[in-house]
Amino acid sequence: MWMRLVHGDITTQNVDAVVNAANSSLLGGGGVDGAIHRRGGPAILAECRELRASRYVHGLPTGMAVATTAGDLPARWVIHTVGPVFSADEDRSELLASCYRESLRVADDLGAASVAFPAVSAGVYGWPMDDAARIAVDTVNATATRVSEVWFVLFTTTAHTSFDWALSRLNRE
Ligand code: APR
């Protein structure tokens, strides 16, 4: 498996699965979540509603991941994962790592060969970008998966710089 960076919009990525930085309601929001539902269309929300009515009546727990159709997106699937809200008092790093690990597990269940990740938790949920990048890159690198291509799709220059640093640090070790 290799990891690459893209400075752009995750909704335009032509990959098998796009990971959504969702919230536990699975019913949409802003940021990546808003963009994916806006560009992907109502089919995604319809499947999210079915998940809420069946497997996740109390919502998708933080650190977990679940797949739906990608609707009108170029991708085949959206893998929704719920990142932890950053806390200065409590170390929630393991929950953020779980988002990447569980998303890859779901991707394997789907048979997805290529997966695009956003910087989960590094927006509204306030996670410092450098640390979010380190956790993302280190976790994906350490996870056994049949996924062969991982793209980190960064929306801002700051995010791209942080992920570039995290990736280069990995290659130096
Ligand atoms: N493509 C790629 N990255 C994006 C896009 C996009 N279209 N839009 C935003 N981003 C970036 C942000 O700049 C940030 O770096 O994704 C990263 C994650 O930001 P958020 O989308 O705010 O996700 P998160 O911090 O995990 O917060 C999740 O925000 O949108 C709501 O419903 C969502 O409640 C949930 C919360």
Side-chain angles (χ1 to χ4, degrees):
M1 171 253 285
W2 48 250
M3 292 182 273
R4 294 263 165 79
L5 305 184
V6 174
H7 188 168
D9 181 338
I10 200 163
T11 63
T12 64
Q13 302 304 311
N14 196 354
V15 290
D16 292 335
V18 159
V19 174
N20 180 23
N23 58 60
S24 59
S25 78
L26 290 178
L27 301 179
V32 173
D33 204 1
I36 284 176
H37 282 282
R38 205 166 33 250
R39 288 282 301 267
I44 300 175
L45 189 57
E47 285 196 17
C48 286
R49 287 209 172 98
E50 283 168 23
L51 287 165
R52 285 299 314 275
S54 54
R55 284 169 56 193
Y56 296 105
V57 290
H58 300 298
L60 184 66
T62 300
M64 300 284 283
V66 69
T68 66
T69 177
D72 302 326
L73 298 183
R76 284 184 63 186
W77 298 285
V78 173
I79 296 174
H80 306 264
T81 192
V82 180
V85 175
F86 179 73
S87 162
D89 309 320
E90 178 192 348
D91 181 2
R92 297 172 178 168
S93 304
E94 192 41 44
L95 279 171
L96 184 53
S98 175
C99 288
Y100 291 92
R101 205 175 292 123
E102 285 301 304
S103 293
L104 288 173
R105 184 185 57 73
V106 171
D108 282 342
D109 292 347
L110 296 168
S114 54
V115 175
F117 284 101
V120 178
S121 287
V124 165
Y125 281 0
W127 207 283
M129 186 59 77
D130 278 347
D131 198 45
R134 176 186 61 81
I135 292 169
V137 167
D138 288 357
T139 304
V140 169
N141 184 56
T143 301
T145 174
R146 289 189 304 282
V147 170
S148 54
E149 297 177 23
V150 168
W151 301 86
F152 292 108
V153 185
L154 294 326
F155 206 51
T156 63
T157 310
T158 308
H160 191 274
T161 304
S162 296
F163 274 75
D164 194 33
W165 172 82
L167 214 46
S168 60
R169 185 177 59 84
L170 190 65
N171 296 334
R172 275 200 304 271
E173 281 177 352

